[in-house]
Amino acid sequence: MPHTDLTTWLEIDLAAIRRNIQQMQTITTRPVMAIIKANGYGHGLVEVARAAQDAGCAWVGVARFEEALAVRRAGLGLNILVLGYAAPPCAGEAAARNITLTVYDLDVANQYAARARAAGHILNVHAKFDTGMSRLGIFPEDGVPFMQQLSAIPGLCVQGMFTHFARSDEAERVTTIWQNERFSALVTALNAAGLRPALVHAANSAAALYFPGAHYDIVRSGIAIYGLQPSDEAPLPPGFTPALTWKARLSSVKIIPPAQ
């Protein structure tokens, strides 16, 4: 309950977050990687991580290395994936603390590996592929040689691979289908070459709900686990509940006479 001196406050229903995660697991029949970046979408980084763990999540995803450290320092043993860039000096501590980093550049990967070896650890990494988001990632057509070289770097364990969809929360489906076809072709090629990692993932909340062909091994759900719609064109199905309520104290009620 809020302190009596507060005039406005947020109330976060962590039970709703747990139920939303379980609902996503039921819909997709896949494990959920709970995305808790940006202070858990404003719901509280560590609190949401703990709720995700209680809901059965083995993985959480963050945007930055310092977010991963905050979760670790809170004593949580979840697997943590840093979805964005991490500076090479972070790699030794990441390996020591079992924090997984994203790689999409061989020079950076080699720097990560050197730091991990110097710390006496193996660093887990997920390779990111740019199938059409035009942000971080290797183009999937270059994916097989990239994964061959990445897998040969001592000090790294290539644990997973992923991509991100640009328009899966829009009514237009062509872009997402095209992105997933590019990614799926790479997964098939890597499987044939004996290079497919254990954890393949692509689906954000909208894709998890509307593109079952993109479910792969695990789905990455952010906005939906907080009970919020990915967009007006990608509404949540029944069973999801908003976790955040913004409250304020009523300070005045006044009837204003006409023309005053």
Side-chain angles (χ1 to χ4, degrees):
M1 295 300 292
H3 296 292
T4 56
D5 59 342
L6 295 178
T7 56
T8 183
W9 65 91
L10 299 178
E11 293 182 5
I12 310 299
D13 185 352
L14 294 174
I17 292 174
R18 292 192 293 269
R19 291 193 300 270
N20 292 336
I21 290 171
Q22 290 163 350
Q23 178 75 347
M24 185 63 80
Q25 290 169 338
T26 298
I27 289 170
T28 63
T29 68
R30 296 292 190 278
V32 170
M33 178 187 294
I35 305 304
I36 60 171
K37 62 185 180 180
N39 192 32
Y41 286 50
H43 294 69
L45 176 72
V46 171
E47 294 82 358
V48 174
R50 189 171 288 113
Q53 181 173 263
D54 292 344
C57 290
W59 281 90
V60 294
V62 298
R64 303 189 310 277
F65 181 67
E66 54 265 36
E67 295 173 315
L69 280 182
V71 174
R72 267 300 168 261
R73 288 167 177 163
L76 297 175
L78 291 150
N79 295 303
I80 307 171
L81 173 61
V82 179
L83 294 158
Y85 172 76
C90 300
E93 187 171 10
R97 290 180 176 270
N98 189 31
I99 294 170
T100 302
L101 300 184
T102 291
V103 292
Y104 46 86
D105 181 279
L106 286 174
D107 288 339
V108 174
N110 276 295
Q111 292 179 60
Y112 284 169
R115 296 279 184 166
R117 292 194 303 267
H121 294 282
I122 300 293
L123 176 67
N124 293 322
V125 296
H126 286 206
K128 185 170 186 182
F129 295 93
D130 178 11
T131 58
M133 187 73 181
S134 299
R135 289 196 314 206
L136 304 178
I138 293 288
F139 293 126
E141 293 76 15
D142 301 322
V144 172
F146 176 77
M147 292 292 275
Q148 287 172 331
Q149 295 174 76
L150 189 65
S151 299
I153 298 174
L156 297 184
C157 174
V158 185
Q159 188 182 53
M161 60 181 285
F162 69 105
T163 193
H164 188 62
F165 296 129
R167 303 180 67 186
S168 59
D169 60 350
E170 299 180 18
E172 187 273 344
R173 297 176 59 89
V174 174
T175 300
T176 305
I177 291 169
W178 169 67
Q179 283 192 253
N180 194 47
E181 286 175 347
R182 293 180 77 192
F183 188 63
S184 179
L186 174 59
V187 173
T188 298
L190 291 172
N191 192 51
L195 293 168
R196 184 196 193 278
L199 204 60
V200 175
H201 48 107
N204 56 8
S205 289
L209 294 171
Y210 290 98
F211 292 90
H215 286 171
Y216 298 100
D217 301 317
I218 190 170
V219 296
R220 300 190 310 269
S221 188
I223 194 166
I225 70 171
Y226 306 101
L228 302 172
Q229 294 186 163
S231 72
D232 290 341
E233 296 174 338
L236 292 174
F240 289 86
T241 307
L244 183 149
T245 306
W246 186 7
K247 295 186 176 181
R249 297 191 185 281
L250 182 63
S251 58
S252 178
V253 176
K254 182 186 292 185
I255 298 174
I256 306 297
Q260 181 172 324

